[in-house]
Amino acid sequence: MRSSSTAPVVRRSVNRFLPAAVAAAALVLAGVPGVTAVPVAAAADSAVTAPVLTGRQLAASWTGPLSTQGRYIVDAKGDRFKLKSANWAGAQGTWEGSGDVDDPANNQAGQVSHNIPLGLDRVPMAQLMSDFHGLGINSVRLPFANAMIHDTTTVPDAAVTANPQLKGKTPLQVYDAVVAALTADGFAVVLNNHTTSYRFCCSLDGNERWNSGQSTQQWVDDWVFLVNRYKANKRVVGADLRNEVRRDTWDDPNWGTGDSHDLYKAFEEAGNAILEADPDMLIVMEGINWQGIPQGMFSHGRPMLTPVGHLSNTLIRSGKLVYAAHFYGYTGPNHTGASGGWQNGETNDPRYQDLSPEELVKTVGDQALFVTEAGQHFTAPVWISEFGAAGRGSDNAKEKDWFDRFTDLLASHDIDFAMWPLVGWTDANGKPNDNWALISYDAKGKRYGLQDGGDWRVDGWNQLVNEQSRTGQVDKVDHWNMLSLSGGDQNLSITMRAKGDWSYGNYKAACPDSERLIALGRGNSSGLCTDADEPAAGSGDWTVVNSEKYVTSDWAWGYNKIQCPDDTFAAGYSANGSIVALVCRPSAAPLPTGGRTIWFDHGDNRPTTGGSVQSDWAAGYYKGQCKDDEYIAGVAMTWRWNEHGVPDALLCRPLK
């Protein structure tokens, strides 16, 4: 969410991004590993009407639930489902933190949401659905506050004037009705935990982290409650775990330290709890929105998804992870978006709208789009789940130029998107309270929408919803997923999670049940899982091996060895500085017992081709990796020469 305290009310000029500049930007981003540009059409001289589907047509066009194949989201039939979305705000709260909560002057843009989605006081639900279809969207990101889940008060009648069927309901019950209306009309809904309290975010407002104002366990419990509430509705497709995690007054969020501020750890805990409750949900993870103190003498910046390049997330079910990032012209890679001098958090760093076309494309690629690179441990769809600009009545040329360049970038690279916000208010003369909204309504329900004329953003928006995209069936892909014990256990096998503490006193890592272990890092207890050429799993028990009981030959002379029984393959491990045990999973068919020893005690030993061979999944450590058509049968280590029992060699055997 854009912060009301930092977002200037601005607008860009009407000039479209020149075709030559678009082509140059596409060439730059095509140089970002794995980011493939599709041909960019020359900028249109006039708006192209967005496709309009009825609820019945949209519902017939896709089937839930959703999952992922590589960089694409797909529906239950395996067809591409591109999130063409907008954010229907309100249920996260609009109060800005002081004064009477019912006074418009104390609410974002003078809009008192009463903690329910905006517009229900002005327009009947059926008309809202029709107007949403008119924009060409197929999905809605629906923010909520944790406070909403626990709020037993009823909303004022005035908050639902145009929808009297909602009178006497709590904010959660109104949210239920909105979810039901959206999904009945064919829209996919992504639930978004935006705030803890009803206070409008996103600066120092008490909503900085998932555990600001509440415990991590309460946050996870709230998610499981909400997911179970909508579990039967397969058009409720995703859980966007937390909005814009950032520094509070004293502490930064981090990515992988294992402490109470570790977003990486918290996201996996919540994501896996959700998947245990509802295996069909997409799990959406944003990166870190802000770290550091925004003054020149301190380190500061917006890491976004950059840490994912070295430490990506793994869930108990493959094909359920979507990464997300937010971009606004007035913010920057090292700029909070604040204005008014250093005392308000403004720095001299450039904003995104200050970057050249080439700089913008490279920065967005480095901070977000790189995760679409195929065949890496971090490969996933990326959803730009918030972006936007002030439209009707705004005249900021620099922001206009940024918006046009940014929408060109999203369109040309076939990126899923969600614009902020969807619904707002106007006064009696049609002047928007919040001219960032795609559709605004006056008190009598008259619409002032993007397609109604007078809004310069219409060309960029229509380009987004109409740009040629990948459609139809998406081929299945192999997965490569990281294991890391830097923050504690990463026991991601449903089978092994049911066995309790299967290696007492040691950190435990296990691949998802659909994958096997294919690589280990030397010294940091990192591993790599894959389902490439995955053998069919046998019905026998999984074995935890912590001795040389099954070693049949001295394949690493003079070294201690842990080896799986024949016809089983390594699917996990435990460690305590040294490697302690292997988890061995039975194969349905006999596995070859020949093989080769690969050493990685003095440098990387990875295949020249195959999955995730270019990515650094054990940053700063040597890596040993079997070929994609091999399995790990054993690991060797020594305590001699002060090597502390870290893995030095792998026994790689062919799968066929």
Side-chain angles (χ1 to χ4, degrees):
M1 180 194 297
R2 59 187 179 86
S3 168
S4 61
S5 63
T6 61
V9 181
V10 289
R11 184 185 179 224
R12 303 173 302 121
S13 65
V14 171
N15 63 300
R16 296 295 298 144
F17 193 30
L18 297 177
V22 177
L27 288 172
V28 172
L29 191 51
V32 177
V35 180
T36 304
V38 297
V40 182
D45 293 329
S46 61
V48 178
T49 302
V52 176
L53 299 178
T54 64
R56 180 176 297 178
Q57 289 170 328
L58 180 58
S61 71
W62 68 283
T63 304
L66 302 182
S67 57
T68 71
Q69 291 292 349
R71 63 150 292 183
Y72 297 110
I73 297 170
V74 298
D75 74 357
K77 296 179 180 179
D79 290 330
R80 167 82 185 285
F81 186 86
K82 182 176 181 178
L83 292 174
K84 301 180 179 181
S85 322
N87 288 267
W88 192 0
Q92 82 289 342
T94 53
W95 181 59
E96 294 189 310
S98 63
D100 183 356
V101 297
D102 295 322
D103 184 345
N106 301 324
N107 284 259
Q108 189 269 334
Q111 300 172 142
V112 184
S113 74
H114 296 291
N115 311 318
I116 61 175
L118 284 163
L120 298 174
D121 60 329
R122 301 181 172 218
V123 189
M125 197 88 78
Q127 184 60 49
L128 286 165
M129 298 301 109
S130 177
D131 291 347
F132 296 171
H133 286 298
L135 289 170
I137 62 175
N138 60 16
S139 45
V140 170
R141 183 175 183 249
L142 197 60
F144 70 89
N146 292 96
M148 181 196 75
I149 294 173
H150 306 279
D151 190 349
T152 60
T153 62
T154 56
V155 300
D157 288 353
V160 291
T161 302
N163 292 275
Q165 74 278 15
L166 301 179
K167 289 182 178 181
K169 295 188 180 296
T170 67
L172 177 57
Q173 290 169 333
V174 173
Y175 195 86
D176 291 340
V178 165
V179 169
L182 286 167
T183 55
D185 238 42
F187 294 104
V189 171
V190 179
L191 312 172
N192 164 238
N193 178 219
H194 216 79
T195 53
T196 304
S197 72
Y198 284 135
R199 182 174 173 180
F200 192 83
C201 84
C202 294
S203 53
L204 295 177
D205 48 45
N207 295 304
E208 296 86 359
R209 294 192 308 275
W210 64 97
N211 54 2
S212 295
Q214 63 187 353
S215 68
T216 295
Q217 188 59 57
Q218 183 63 63
W219 173 67
V220 173
D221 290 347
D222 283 355
W223 260 122
V224 172
F225 167 83
L226 206 60
V227 166
N228 278 326
R229 193 174 185 88
Y230 305 125
K231 185 175 181 178
N233 187 342
K234 296 310 173 186
R235 295 195 190 276
V236 179
V237 298
D240 185 346
L241 296 179
R242 187 70 179 189
N243 184 73
E244 295 187 7
V245 172
R246 55 200 181 276
R247 181 187 176 91
D248 61 17
T249 303
W250 302 110
D251 296 303
D252 280 325
N254 67 76
W255 196 261
T257 67
D259 65 12
S260 63
H261 300 158
D262 183 356
L263 181 60
Y264 168 84
K265 178 182 177 182
F267 272 174
E268 286 199 358
E269 180 180 349
N272 286 320
I274 289 168
L275 289 174
E276 287 178 328
D278 183 359
D280 289 333
M281 291 293 280
L282 291 177
I283 305 299
V284 182
M285 301 182 182
E286 294 178 29
I288 296 174
N289 192 64
W290 186 262
Q291 286 178 321
I293 300 173
Q295 291 187 11
M297 72 281 294
F298 296 104
S299 175
H300 58 268
R302 180 171 284 110
M304 306 287 271
L305 296 175
T306 305
V308 171
H310 296 304
L311 184 59
S312 59
N313 299 89
T314 302
L315 297 168
I316 59 174
R317 296 189 180 275
S318 300
K320 289 297 178 181
L321 173 62
V322 175
Y323 284 117
H326 294 178
F327 291 94
Y328 290 102
Y330 68 89
T331 62
N334 295 292
H335 203 299
T336 63
S339 58
W342 65 267
Q343 64 271 26
N344 293 326
E346 183 177 16
T347 68
N348 293 323
D349 302 292
R351 305 173 193 265
Y352 291 113
Q353 65 192 26
D354 297 325
L355 302 180
S356 70
E358 296 79 12
E359 290 171 335
L360 178 64
V361 171
K362 184 178 186 308
T363 299
V364 173
D366 290 345
Q367 291 193 310
L369 303 195
F370 74 91
V371 301
T372 62
E373 181 181 354
Q376 306 305 321
H377 67 85
F378 49 72
T379 301
V382 65
W383 185 31
I384 306 305
S385 56
E386 280 191 32
F387 75 101
R392 192 182 303 273
S394 184
D395 59 5
N396 185 296
K398 180 172 284 191
E399 191 183 41
K400 284 186 177 183
D401 176 61
W402 172 82
F403 182 84
D404 282 340
R405 289 191 283 133
F406 191 70
T407 53
D408 282 326
L409 175 58
L410 297 183
S412 66
H413 293 85
D414 201 4
I415 302 299
D416 300 56
F417 61 87
M419 195 161 166
W420 181 277
L422 178 53
V423 176
W425 295 355
T426 76
D427 64 17
N429 298 315
K431 180 181 179 182
N433 289 43
D434 184 353
N435 60 352
W436 290 61
L438 290 169
I439 308 174
S440 295
Y441 300 93
D442 68 15
K444 295 182 179 180
K446 183 178 180 180
R447 186 188 70 199
Y448 297 85
L450 197 68
Q451 309 288 6
D452 294 330
D455 195 318
W456 63 270
R457 300 171 299 175
V458 66
D459 282 358
W461 174 258
N462 283 333
Q463 181 185 8
L464 274 180
V465 296
N466 289 310
E467 187 68 38
Q468 182 179 0
S469 299
R470 169 73 180 267
T471 59
Q473 284 280 306
V474 178
D475 292 337
K476 291 185 177 181
V477 300
D478 296 327
H479 298 89
W480 283 269
N481 285 313
M482 275 191 67
L483 295 175
S484 174
L485 295 178
S486 60
D489 288 352
Q490 204 171 29
N491 189 20
L492 302 174
S493 158
I494 295 173
T495 300
M496 296 306 294
R497 287 161 81 93
K499 293 182 179 294
D501 193 350
W502 47 264
S503 184
Y504 180 75
N506 303 303
Y507 293 120
K508 289 163 281 294
C511 299
D513 280 355
S514 60
E515 301 181 16
R516 69 185 184 281
L517 189 67
I518 199 169
L520 285 173
R522 187 178 188 271
N524 73 335
S525 300
S526 291
L528 189 67
C529 305
T530 189
D531 55 12
D533 294 316
E534 183 76 358
S539 58
D541 288 338
W542 296 26
T543 306
V544 178
V545 181
N546 57 11
S547 71
E548 297 193 354
K549 177 180 180 180
Y550 298 103
V551 176
T552 56
S553 65
D554 198 353
W555 50 267
W557 186 82
Y559 280 68
N560 299 93
K561 291 172 281 291
I562 301 173
Q563 186 170 328
C564 290
D566 288 350
D567 299 327
T568 69
F569 50 90
Y573 56 95
S574 64
N576 195 352
S578 60
I579 291 291
V580 175
L582 285 178
V583 174
C584 303
R585 180 181 181 183
S587 171
L591 294 172
T593 55
R596 65 192 182 101
T597 302
I598 65 166
W599 293 90
F600 55 104
D601 53 336
H602 289 88
D604 282 359
N605 193 342
R606 298 198 279 173
T608 55
T609 60
S612 210
V613 296
Q614 303 300 324
S615 57
D616 198 352
W617 47 266
Y621 292 87
Y622 297 145
K623 290 165 279 291
Q625 183 171 339
C626 298
K627 295 179 180 179
D628 292 355
D629 59 357
E630 295 178 323
Y631 69 97
I632 292 178
V635 59
M637 74 291 291
T638 186
W639 281 261
R640 295 178 296 171
W641 311 301
N642 203 31
E643 291 197 11
H644 308 292
V646 298
D648 290 305
L650 299 177
L651 175 59
C652 300
R653 288 177 168 174
L655 288 166
K656 299 177 183 178

